[in-house]
Amino acid sequence: RQTINKAIGYSGVSAAEIARRLGITPATFSNRLNKCRFSSEELAEIAKVLGAEYVEYFKFPDDVNIKPNN
């Protein structure tokens, strides 16, 4: 969860926008984020919304990488 939150904060994209682009409500996104309930495919889609790449971590085009416990 901390890694996703860091990536969201870095990207500047709101959680509401991520939820909208994933086709879920902001409340559902928040609940799933709090429980860390995302498949690898969903994490890849979140990364795409953030303008990043998910390779077990978030990789941004400017070479910033946000990894678990980073």
Side-chain angles (χ1 to χ4, degrees):
R1 176 181 80 176
Q2 184 178 11
T3 304
I4 297 171
N5 282 329
K6 283 183 182 179
I8 291 170
Y10 179 80
S11 73
V13 177
S14 71
E17 177 62 16
I18 296 167
R20 186 187 71 73
R21 302 253 314 259
L22 293 177
I24 59 177
T25 68
T28 298
F29 180 74
S30 178
N31 288 337
R32 293 183 65 200
L33 181 61
N34 288 332
K35 295 177 183 179
C36 292
R37 296 220 165 188
F38 295 104
S39 67
S40 295
E41 292 81 16
E42 290 169 319
L43 290 171
E45 187 61 30
I46 291 168
K48 188 175 175 182
V49 171
L50 300 179
E53 176 183 359
Y54 185 74
V55 189
E56 295 187 33
Y57 58 90
F58 291 87
K59 181 178 182 173
F60 287 85
D62 61 359
D63 292 325
V64 169
N65 298 319
I66 299 177
K67 300 178 181 182
N69 302 319
N70 194 4

